[in-house]
Amino acid sequence: MKKLKTLSKLKKELDSVFSLFIRHKYAKDGIVHCYTCSVSKPIKQIQNGHWIPRNNLATRFSEENCRPQCVGCNMFNKGRPDVFAVNLLKEGIDIIKLQQTKYAVFKIDAIWYEQKITEYKQRTEELR
Ligand SMILES: [Zn+2]
């Protein structure tokens, strides 16, 4: 019998699947530019940066909210949300709408996680 995974385990799994997807999405020949300082690094040394912090579940797995970032920007400079926002605006992302999404009631169940994990694994494969 297949053992059911806990929500926290699924969330962790989606975090890593989604992170890999975001990094591949913006990579060229395995190299990614940090969204907020432009330094270029191999995929493995880049993180998935969130403009609206990760603790907001409604935007945690939003492609509009996530871009590759170097460790310096993402961890030591707390994501540099000011630069991040300016760059999102330049891309034409509606950051006000994104801000509002943050407050949306967002319930995630195991099925939602399973679907997203499958979807992003597949989309990452297509990018490789
Ligand atoms: Zn950086």
Side-chain angles (χ1 to χ4, degrees):
M1 205 173 92
K2 198 183 160 199
K3 207 175 163 242
L4 288 173
K5 288 176 188 165
T6 61
L7 284 180
S8 72
K9 209 167 175 192
L10 286 165
K11 191 191 205 175
K12 251 189 188 161
E13 192 178 341
L14 183 55
D15 272 334
S16 76
V17 169
F18 187 65
S19 166
L20 196 63
F21 169 76
I22 290 294
R23 289 176 286 148
H24 273 282
K25 184 179 173 184
Y26 296 96
K28 215 175 169 195
D29 302 321
I31 299 294
V32 199
H33 290 276
C34 171
Y35 193 60
T36 44
C37 78
S38 300
V39 69
S40 54
K41 301 262 184 195
I43 278 180
K44 278 186 180 171
Q45 290 173 34
I46 285 278
Q47 300 179 330
N48 176 26
H50 293 68
W51 177 54
I52 295 169
R54 245 161 64 111
N55 57 320
N56 297 281
L57 207 51
T59 44
R60 187 177 182 123
F61 306 108
S62 153
E63 285 182 48
E64 287 201 318
N65 188 48
C66 296
R67 294 293 181 279
Q69 273 189 314
C70 72
V71 179
C73 288
N74 194 32
M75 309 287 278
F76 303 117
N77 286 296
K78 298 184 164 54
R80 300 181 74 181
D82 46 351
V83 184
F84 211 125
V86 169
N87 289 344
L88 288 176
L89 281 172
K90 282 184 192 159
E91 276 190 59
I93 304 284
D94 188 344
I95 63 168
I96 294 169
K97 199 175 147 203
L98 204 52
Q99 271 290 355
Q100 288 163 341
T101 312
K102 172 178 153 179
Y103 302 107
V105 178
F106 204 69
K107 263 198 83 181
I108 296 183
D109 57 16
I111 294 163
W112 188 91
Y113 276 123
E114 301 272 16
Q115 283 171 345
K116 288 287 172 188
I117 289 165
T118 307
E119 178 194 330
Y120 281 111
K121 269 185 183 169
Q122 198 180 330
R123 289 180 63 192
T124 305
E125 276 313 305
E126 289 164 9
L127 290 170
R128 275 181 203 264

